[in-house]
Amino acid sequence: MTRYFVPVLLTVALLGACSPPAPVVLTGDAFGTTWSVRLTGLPGDTNPEGLQLQIVVALDSIDRVMSNWRSDSAIEQFNAAPAGQWIDVPAELAELVTLARTISLASDGAFDITVAPLVRAWGFGPAAQPAVPDPATLNAARARTGFGHLSVRMNPPALRKAKPGITTDLSAIAKGYAVDRIAAVLDKAGCRSYLVEIGGELRARGQHPDGRAWRAAVRRPEYGLSPEPLTVLPVTDTAVATSGDYLQQFESGGRRYSHIIDPRTGRPAGHNLASVTVLATSAAEADALATALLVLGPVDGPALARAQDLKALFVLRKPDGFEQQESPALAAWLAAQP
Ligand code: ADP
Ligand code: MG
């Protein structure tokens, strides 16, 4: 069913259209958040209701494979499985774990999908109260993390944990992956111009009906929804994802702790880098890289972006407000936009 809506997004808000032809808007719920698709240039015989159905089916199948919130998902079956043996998984799960592993290696372990025991130890995640853990809890959680203890193969697709207690949590990459899957549905249907969004992760193709690029507003990295965006990025033919330390956090002893954990220390990333927005070809990659760069922080994050030619916007918290830093690749890309 098609319905029109006023978008209230988490990390990246979309800017509304001006006056020209309004895009068709499809929306729904998935992964505990909302999704939306804005479409123009639909082939004449395309039925938006049919597209909506295909998107819902695709999201549902991703949920059945990758959700950490249902015990019958492929990933939770693997998480419950014993160590030391290959467990068959759907090919798309093995592919996504392979991408996650590449980003773990590139980020020196800052991105790590085995991080869930640490996330839980700090009281983030299902049915928990955020709090600073005692050292014994923290050590026990650290013993159950490390992407080096997780192996993946493609023929046939399977995962294997080297130690009991190693699990996979795709929260920092799955929303992006789902955005890519929706984009694939739209590409296959012949759509030439669209903006797909799930919980703030975006992917755009072609142009807005006003003839300009689709636009993504990067939020001010503050708790609560501030109406004024920090900046606006043109997003034609690219994916965009933002990771911030500000949406889920708690305070204790005058310190702020965020839900993004540095697996190398076992502690929440704690520095003045408030958010990172990444542009990449795929939304899965953008999503994971945004988390990786946020964990790496204000020195190592920009250094990795420079070394790997990543398009990234770093937003730093300074005494007198926010400071924005573009990576060289992002600055060059923005300069080349019409
Ligand atoms: P959001 O979910 O707000 O879009 P992210 O994409 O950055 O933000 O994902 C954050 C989630 O990823 C956390 O809630 C946690 O489950 C998981 N996570 C936390 N730290 C890491 C990390 N270092 N590497 C990979 N996943 C992480
Ligand atoms: Mg992410």
Side-chain angles (χ1 to χ4, degrees), residues 29-41:
D29 298 314
F31 318 129
T33 181
T34 55
W35 63 266
S36 72
V37 171
R38 293 162 168 249
L39 291 161
T40 63

Side-chain angles (χ1 to χ4, degrees), residues 10-11 68-69 104 109-116 118-119 124-125 169-176 198-201 241-244 247-248 258-264 269 286-288 290-292 294-295:
L10 292 180
T11 42
N68 290 114
W69 305 83
S104 297
F111 184 81
D112 189 335
I113 58 169
T114 67
V115 79
L118 286 167
V119 174
F124 296 104
D169 164 9
L170 296 172
S171 311
I173 189 170
K175 268 187 293 173
I198 303 181
E201 324 297 15
T242 297
S243 215
L247 284 169
Q248 280 195 49
S258 96
H259 70 137
I260 311 275
I261 308 282
D262 186 339
R264 301 164 305 172
D287 195 1
T291 302
L294 187 77
V295 171

Side-chain angles (χ1 to χ4, degrees), residues 23-146:
V24 172
V25 183
L26 311 176
T27 66
D29 298 314
F31 318 129
T33 181
T34 55
W35 63 266
S36 72
V37 171
R38 293 162 168 249
L39 291 161
T40 63
L42 273 179
D45 54 351
T46 310
N47 160 4
E49 272 82 24
L51 275 180
Q52 171 100 16
L53 188 62
Q54 286 182 54
I55 291 168
V56 168
V57 168
L59 292 175
D60 193 55
S61 88
I62 295 169
D63 198 64
R64 268 182 280 125
V65 174
M66 300 187 181
S67 172
N68 290 114
W69 305 83
R70 51 190 287 180
S71 57
D72 64 343
S73 67
I75 195 159
E76 282 304 310
Q77 306 257 308
F78 169 72
N79 286 345
Q85 62 200 60
W86 286 105
I87 307 293
D88 290 336
V89 295
E92 72 238 52
L93 178 53
E95 272 161 28
L96 198 60
V97 170
T98 303
L99 174 63
R101 193 181 156 73
T102 308
I103 293 172
S104 297
L105 290 168
S107 65
D108 188 27
F111 184 81
D112 189 335
I113 58 169
T114 67
V115 79
L118 286 167
V119 174
R120 272 198 300 275
W122 286 88
F124 296 104
Q129 264 307 100
V132 180
D134 61 65
T137 308
L138 199 55
N139 283 336
R142 290 195 76 174
R144 296 172 55 217
T145 60

